[in-house]
Amino acid sequence: MRVTAKRLMQQLSVVGCANGLAGRQLGCESAAAVLKKSVHMDQCRIPMRWQALVKEVDSGRHLQALPGVAQTMRDLAQETAAALRREGEVLVVAGDHSSAIGTWSGVASAMRNHGDVGLIWVDAHMDAHTPDSSPTGNIHGMPVAHLLGFGDRNLSTIGDDLPKLKPENLCLVGIRSFERAEQELLDRLGVRVFFMEEVERRGIQDVMQEALHHVTRQTSAFGMSIDIDGFDVVDAPAVGTPEKGGIRAGDFLQSLLSLDLRGLVATEIVEFLPRFDDEHKTSERLVVNLIETIYQTKRHQTDATASILRRAMS
């Protein structure tokens, strides 16, 4: 999917999803609406246009949420795919991480004729349970398994019957909380996992460079799914499932500046829980900083490539 100079001048297409019933705590469902009205988002140096705000279908909590989550994810997949086909890139701002089922099902559908999609998954958690293995029944802990084609077919076959991701095109970064069943599944499939211990030893910049190489070796494009609980709680206090330690946000933002983001077709940012934010709006600002850093970097890189091509053709 070629990015043209015309697309560079367009606003970034944003799809919101007001989902929170699949999470441990309620509240993430308000994230997209809060960010849409945010003063900090208004000041972002990346112009944005909100294409849709997907409403959540309520069928209960825990495993009872499954029918509602399935419908919400079908709606999100449709909006995501439409925006990507129309604009060539899309940002999804969602609530709990079950949104990834809809986001990346939509991306896979839009990209089927172009090739496979790679995905960098930044998170404190593996999110690789199925309904049978989950000790809580919270579906926000299950998207990775479903995107790989496992679990409940109502979630794994959104858009088409094919897996949305191949194991060799996926890597997880910053993992520090998981259960045995999740690790066994990912180990069996050969998914590359950068545990937090490796991130601390090597540095996030080195890890992200390897992650990018991993997800672009055999794919036509790639995306990033960023759960802000992957960051240290000092930098992201407003999350429902905080874990000790984590990636320092400043280091992560710095690492993005050295990544080749020209092949990035979709970014998803999730698990912001506004009522837990501090008086400085630290988590809200982090979301805006992520968007600004990712897309300014991508725009500059694509501009530079276009300029070189114009000079070569003149």
Side-chain angles (χ1 to χ4, degrees):
M1 186 172 288
R2 191 165 59 92
V3 178
T4 65
K6 180 180 178 182
R7 281 187 181 136
L8 290 175
M9 302 303 294
Q10 293 177 333
Q11 295 173 309
L12 176 62
S13 291
V14 184
V15 174
C17 186
N19 64 308
L21 290 167
R24 180 190 295 179
Q25 300 196 53
L26 295 176
C28 286
E29 64 275 8
S30 66
V34 167
L35 288 163
K36 188 176 181 181
K37 297 177 182 177
S38 166
V39 171
H40 304 299
M41 191 73 101
D42 285 343
Q43 295 170 348
C44 182
R45 286 175 284 184
I46 296 297
M48 287 175 268
R49 181 172 68 254
W50 288 78
Q51 300 284 358
L53 181 58
V54 175
K55 301 288 182 65
E56 184 169 43
V57 177
D58 185 351
S59 63
R61 294 273 282 148
H62 311 298
L63 290 180
Q64 290 182 348
L66 202 153
V69 169
Q71 183 58 57
T72 305
M73 294 308 106
R74 284 192 287 270
D75 295 342
L76 177 56
Q78 184 175 13
E79 294 291 350
T80 301
L84 182 52
R85 289 189 181 107
R86 185 171 57 247
E87 307 294 345
E89 64 180 0
V90 63
L91 167 67
V92 175
V93 177
D96 72 67
H97 216 166
S98 68
S99 63
I101 298 169
T103 297
W104 303 105
S105 293
V107 171
S109 293
M111 296 296 294
R112 281 290 182 218
N113 293 333
H114 302 275
D116 293 331
V117 175
L119 181 62
I120 299 175
W121 184 279
V122 179
D123 203 325
H125 310 93
M126 284 185 172
D127 290 353
H129 276 298
T130 66
D132 290 334
S133 72
S134 172
T136 65
N138 293 329
I139 300 171
H140 77 156
M142 307 181 194
V144 168
H146 286 91
L147 291 169
L148 291 167
F150 297 86
D152 190 283
R153 283 185 57 79
N154 291 301
L155 299 178
S156 65
T157 60
I158 292 172
D160 57 36
D161 289 341
L162 299 173
K164 314 313 171 193
L165 299 170
K166 293 179 178 178
E168 62 268 28
N169 298 331
L170 168 67
C171 65
L172 281 62
V173 176
I175 304 302
R176 58 193 189 276
S177 177
F178 53 93
E179 278 81 44
R180 181 177 176 180
E182 298 177 283
Q183 185 172 21
E184 287 178 348
L185 175 63
L186 298 187
D187 283 351
R188 176 161 55 86
L189 296 173
V191 173
R192 178 66 165 102
V193 179
F194 296 92
F195 292 97
M196 195 60 214
E197 293 89 343
E198 182 174 356
V199 175
E200 290 172 342
R201 185 177 72 253
R202 295 176 56 187
I204 188 62
Q205 183 163 332
D206 193 30
V207 165
M208 287 297 289
Q209 287 288 353
E210 183 181 334
L212 178 64
H213 173 72
H214 188 89
V215 304
T216 56
R217 295 170 303 167
Q218 305 174 76
T219 61
S220 62
F222 77 99
M224 291 192 288
S225 185
I226 302 174
D227 183 331
I228 66 168
D229 71 24
F231 300 107
D232 192 297
V233 70
V234 171
D235 302 320
V239 297
T241 50
E243 303 292 345
K244 184 178 179 181
I247 303 165
R248 292 309 306 259
D251 294 339
F252 184 80
L253 292 167
Q254 186 68 31
S255 77
L256 293 171
L257 301 177
S258 62
L259 295 182
D260 183 352
L261 300 180
R262 289 172 298 173
L264 179 74
V265 293
T267 305
E268 175 183 47
I269 302 177
V270 302
E271 293 283 353
F272 169 45
L273 208 162
R275 65 186 168 90
F276 287 170
D277 216 352
D278 58 25
E279 60 181 337
H280 304 295
K281 302 294 183 184
T282 299
S283 298
E284 186 175 313
R285 288 173 181 267
L286 173 57
V287 172
V288 176
N289 287 338
L290 287 165
I291 296 167
E292 193 168 85
T293 303
I294 290 167
Y295 286 97
Q296 278 197 317
T297 301
K298 180 184 177 183
R299 298 284 192 270
H300 290 158
Q301 291 170 348
T302 313
D303 273 337
T305 301
S307 178
I308 292 168
L309 289 173
R310 283 195 300 270
R311 288 199 299 271
M313 297 294 290
S314 62

